[in-house]
Every structure is written in C-alpha cells, then in structure tokens.
Amino acid sequence: MAQKTLTDGTPTGAVEAPEAPSAKRWWILAVVAIAQLMVVLDATIVNIALPSAQADLGFSDGNRQWIVTAYALAFASLLLLGGRIADLFGRKTAFLVGVVGFAAVSALGGAANGFGMLVTARALQGAFGALLAPAALSLLNTTFTDARERARAFSVYGAIAGAGGAVGLLLGGVLTDAFDWRWTLYVNVLIAVVAFVGGWMLLTNHRDAENGKLDVPGTILVAAGLFSLVYGFSNAETHDWGSALTWGFLTAGGLLLAAFAWWQTRAAHPLLPLRILLDRNRAASFLAVLISAGGMFGVFLFLTYYLQLNLGFSPTKTGVAFLPMVGALMVAAQLGTTVLLPRIGPKVAVPLGFAVAAVGMAWLTGIGVGSSYVSAVLPQLIVTGIGLGLVMPASMQLATGGVTAEDAGVASATVNAMQQVGGSIGTALLNTLAASAATDYLAGRDATSKLVQAQATIESYTTAFWWSAGMFAAGAVIAFLLFRRGVPEQDPEAAPVVHM
C-alpha cells in the first residue's frame, strides 16, 4: 500500500485507501459478531449450569465461585497483551488462534471429570478470549471506514456486548434443562466452527505494528495489576472488605497499574501508548463502558435471583424473561449509533442513555414478594435496555474510533478490560451492599419467619437496584462533563487504514 504524494513527489503522510470497500465487509461483521457472542456468552452461560456441575463433580460451595472467577481473572489480566499480539502478528492470525483455542478448551471443560480440570479449562477459556475479543473489535475498526456503515457495525457489536449476558442466561438454561450442564461448554465448539470457517475465508492478515516490539515489562505490570484488581474484588464477595485478601490485592493492583502508567511514558514500544488514553472523548468512552458494565450486573445478577427464587421461574423461563430487554437494547443501539450520535454528539446521547437506564433501575425497586413479572419487571427491563443500548455501542465506537491502525488492537483490548473490570467491581460492590441490606432488615425481626426472610431478600435486591441506578446517574454526570461538545470528527489519517 503506497503513500499519497503531491505533484512534486512530497509524501502527504496519509495512507492510500483501496478504491472501494470490499463487498465482504458485512459477512466479516457476521463472523466477528458470532465470535464475540461466544466470548460474551461464557461470562454468564455457565452460571445457570453451576448447581448441576457441582452435583455432578462433587466440589464444595467454596470452590464454586472459582468456575466463574478463573475465567474473569485470565480474561481481564491478559486483554492488553492479546490486543498487542493482534497488532504485532496480525488480526486474522490472532482471531483464528483465539477461536480454535477457545473451542478446544471449551471441549476440555465439557469433558471435565473433576473440579481441577474444569477450573483449568475455564482459565484457559479466559486466556484465549483475551486474544480473540480485541482482535474481533479491532477488525471492525479497520474493516468499516465509512462513517455511516461503521456506526451500523458498532451498533450490532455493542448490542451483542450489552445483551450477550442475557442471551447467555437463556441459552444456559435451555441447554441445562434439555441436555446436560456440559453442553453449556460444548456449544462453543459449534459456534467456533462457523466463526473459524468464516474468518479463514474472509479475513486477510495485515500487521499494522509489524515493526514494533512487545513491551515485556509493561505486559507483566498490567497483567499483574489487572489480576490483582479483579482478584481483590472477587475476594470481597467471599470474604469482606476488611480482609487482607481483599484490600491487599486491591492496593497491589492499584500500585502495579500506577507503575504500568509510569513505565508507558518511558518505554520505547509501550504496550498501551498514552496517546490512546489522553484523547478526551476516548477517555470518557472508556469510563462509560466501565460504569455501564458495573451497573448492568444489578440487572442480570439480582434479577435472575428474583425471577427464580421468588417468582419460581425455571432457568429457561428466566432467560426468556430477559429477551424484551435484549430487543430494546438492540433497537436503541441502532438508533443511538446511526441517528443520535451523528446528529447530537456523545455529550448528549451518552448521558441521555445513562439517565434512561437509571430511571429503569429505580423503577425496578418497586418489586415485592408477590409482584407480577408483566407489571413490576417487564416495563422496567425495556426502559433499562433502551438506556444501555444508547450508551454501550456509542461508547465502544468512540473508544476505538480515530486510533491509528497500529493501535487498533490495544485500544480494543482496553475497551474489553474496562468492561471486565467494571463487571468485577459491580458484582463485588452490589453483592456486599445487598448482603448488608438483608442483614440490617433481619435485625430485630423474627428471622425464622418465611415471610420475613422473603422480605429481607427483596430488600437486598432493591438495594442493589438503587445502587445500580446511582451508578448510571453518576455515569450521566461524568459523561456530560467529559465528552466534548458537538459531533466527533473522524481523523482523516486514522480512518482509511485497511479494507479487509
């Protein structure tokens, strides 16, 4: 690919784009969406199957959390490394290796004959997911260079990122009820076959940072920092905030990430160039993804408990109950990225989405012991889905837009890291607050009464919903303050990098 030159032969510095976008780009979107869905599903699909897996393999309640935590730890800590590998060695290579590896270790987990084998497979899933997810997102960034088409592509991707957790709950319930818990892992093999064949046929391997080198000290610092951060928040769920395993790892994570930021200013080939973080709109987008992921767990986690334990829904019915939210999110994602963002800009569109989501969560606090799904849950889910649909796809598009081709992978990895860390923070914080609310409600009451116990449970759910609403309200204020006014203009040197 040649540089454009002026008539006197002086190079302009801009990279010449091919004459026309490839007709394959929409098929590439489908392949990327399928692969990303596989990664997002695994954050929740196994949750519903855990009781069945525990009964089958005979591990303790204390070990049960590691089936979820092992995936989160490996995924979060290796994301930036995975993104940089995609930039250095090619996105097609990273994508295909990620798909094959994810499928292989999923099959290993499905065939697990004990706790050790299952938790190892889950950790390896997280590792391959950390390679696959940034490659998938950066492929969108480099494949879709037309602003309108790019907005549509990111509306699809963002909808999957936001709704994948709910789809995972549905699919996990269906597979567990109809077949066996092992199929929540085996299903990835079927998905991966489609993604691999499509990726092999459609993608080309372009290395935009092929002259760069891997920042080994930075990789070690950020991997250890993210691991400590996610592990610390996970310990807050099983221990308490005063435990050395909680505050110790959180402190270590903060120090390691601070050391990583310092090193990035001095490294010859930084893992995360600070130019990516110093753009105001991009920094605001990263925070928006983190906050929305944290608050979203108030919907999925506690509402799942409420539907199954209080309203008596089966796992499959619980998953179906989330589908209206998924539909609302997908419609809002299309509206937000293709209509609102190009016309009113992120300073209005993203805070509006946060505000709508906050209203939906606050409305959801009206649930009671004998509430009806149709009146006390369904409308609130739709409103929350609309709000999240306006926030997440737009934020992901802005977080990865405008970066140079050589930074596309690591920028995409940072988005995924924000989502993962936000989810870890939200899960730990909301679990702790919910448990405290239930304990406070039971104080001075007859704890043996089933009605009192049920009301204490409702109190824990509504507390989590209020805090989720508070997170979204804070997100609205932060987004309004940080995003620039007006519609973002695309950097002419950043957009036309490579048509795949």
Side-chain angles (χ1 to χ4, degrees):
M1 207 180 315
Q3 284 186 316
K4 290 181 179 179
T5 58
L6 302 177
T7 53
D8 61 359
T10 304
T12 64
V15 179
E16 184 179 0
E19 294 181 0
S22 168
K24 300 185 295 184
R25 63 195 183 282
W26 295 110
W27 287 106
I28 291 174
L29 171 61
V31 170
V32 168
I34 290 169
Q36 178 63 15
L37 180 62
M38 181 173 67
V39 174
V40 177
L41 284 178
D42 265 70
T44 57
I45 192 173
V46 176
N47 293 20
I48 282 183
L50 271 180
S52 299
Q54 184 177 1
D56 188 14
L57 301 180
F59 52 85
S60 66
D61 289 343
N63 284 334
R64 182 172 58 191
Q65 65 137 344
W66 284 105
I67 306 302
V68 177
T69 304
Y71 180 88
L73 286 173
F75 187 68
S77 58
L78 296 175
L79 270 167
L80 285 180
L81 174 60
R84 204 57 181 164
I85 287 173
D87 289 333
L88 291 171
F89 300 103
R91 297 184 189 95
K92 178 177 181 177
T93 299
F95 182 85
L96 295 180
V97 170
V99 168
V100 171
F102 201 95
V105 296
S106 295
L108 178 69
N113 56 12
F115 171 76
M117 187 173 174
L118 180 58
V119 79
T120 299
R122 288 289 287 165
L124 290 172
Q125 274 188 312
F128 282 107
L131 180 62
L132 174 58
L137 182 53
S138 61
L139 280 168
L140 288 193
N141 194 38
T142 54
T143 299
F144 290 89
T145 57
D146 176 77
R148 185 177 294 274
E149 290 186 349
R150 193 168 183 273
R152 289 175 184 155
F154 272 87
S155 73
V156 173
Y157 186 93
I160 289 173
V167 176
L169 293 174
L170 170 60
L171 190 57
V174 170
L175 292 172
T176 303
D177 286 343
F179 300 103
D180 183 71
W181 68 267
R182 298 178 185 275
W183 276 96
T184 61
L185 293 163
Y186 286 145
V187 70
N188 290 326
V189 178
L190 304 178
I191 300 173
V193 168
V194 177
F196 181 84
V197 172
W200 182 270
M201 295 174 61
L202 297 171
L203 302 177
T204 56
N205 205 44
H206 191 89
R207 293 182 290 169
D208 293 297
E210 58 185 335
N211 295 323
K213 295 180 180 178
L214 185 63
D215 175 16
V216 176
T219 299
I220 294 172
L221 285 171
V222 76
L226 289 173
F227 179 94
S228 299
L229 207 62
V230 174
Y231 186 66
F233 281 117
S234 298
N235 283 327
E237 297 179 63
T238 54
H239 298 76
D240 58 65
W241 292 97
S243 169
L245 288 174
T246 300
W247 63 262
F249 274 97
L250 291 177
T251 302
L255 292 174
L256 286 165
L257 292 177
F260 168 73
W262 170 82
W263 173 252
Q264 295 308 280
T265 65
R266 286 157 175 77
H269 300 279
L271 181 68
L272 178 59
L274 293 185
R275 60 181 175 268
I276 292 176
L277 300 178
L278 295 178
D279 179 85
R280 186 171 163 181
N281 274 356
R282 191 172 297 118
S285 299
F286 287 145
L287 285 175
V289 171
L290 184 141
I291 294 169
S292 59
M296 194 163 57
F297 272 78
V299 184
F300 292 145
L301 184 63
F302 294 97
L303 196 54
T304 297
Y305 292 155
Y306 175 70
L307 293 174
Q308 291 195 29
L309 301 180
N310 293 84
L311 299 189
F313 282 24
S314 68
T316 301
K317 191 175 180 181
T318 299
V320 172
F322 280 105
L323 289 183
M325 177 186 174
V326 174
L329 195 153
M330 296 185 74
V331 171
Q334 182 72 14
L335 176 67
T337 53
T338 61
V339 179
L340 294 182
L341 196 62
R343 293 183 181 179
I344 62 178
K347 195 173 185 68
V348 177
V350 176
L352 174 63
F354 270 126
V356 172
V359 169
M361 291 306 298
W363 190 8
L364 198 54
T365 61
I367 61 170
V369 176
S371 295
S372 162
Y373 167 78
V374 173
S375 61
V377 177
L378 178 59
Q380 295 85 334
L381 272 182
I382 292 174
V383 171
T384 304
I386 291 172
L388 291 174
L390 294 178
V391 172
M392 294 195 70
S395 298
M396 289 181 170
Q397 179 180 339
L398 291 166
T400 56
V403 296
T404 58
E406 64 179 340
D407 294 332
V410 74
S412 304
T414 307
V415 173
N416 281 279
M418 291 297 104
Q419 193 172 6
Q420 187 63 46
V421 172
S424 298
I425 294 172
T427 302
L429 181 63
L430 295 176
N431 262 324
T432 304
L433 292 167
S436 298
T439 301
D440 292 344
Y441 183 85
L442 290 173
R445 292 182 171 87
D446 181 11
T448 61
S449 168
K450 290 185 177 181
L451 182 60
V452 171
Q453 291 176 357
Q455 191 57 48
T457 304
I458 297 296
E459 191 72 18
S460 71
Y461 300 156
T462 55
T463 298
F465 295 155
W466 274 121
W467 278 91
S468 289
M471 288 185 196
F472 291 146
V477 174
I478 292 170
F480 181 77
L481 293 175
L482 289 185
F483 276 113
R484 294 193 187 97
R485 294 181 181 275
V487 178
E489 293 184 6
Q490 183 68 45
D491 183 351
E493 294 188 11
V497 276
V498 181
H499 288 297
M500 306 302 290

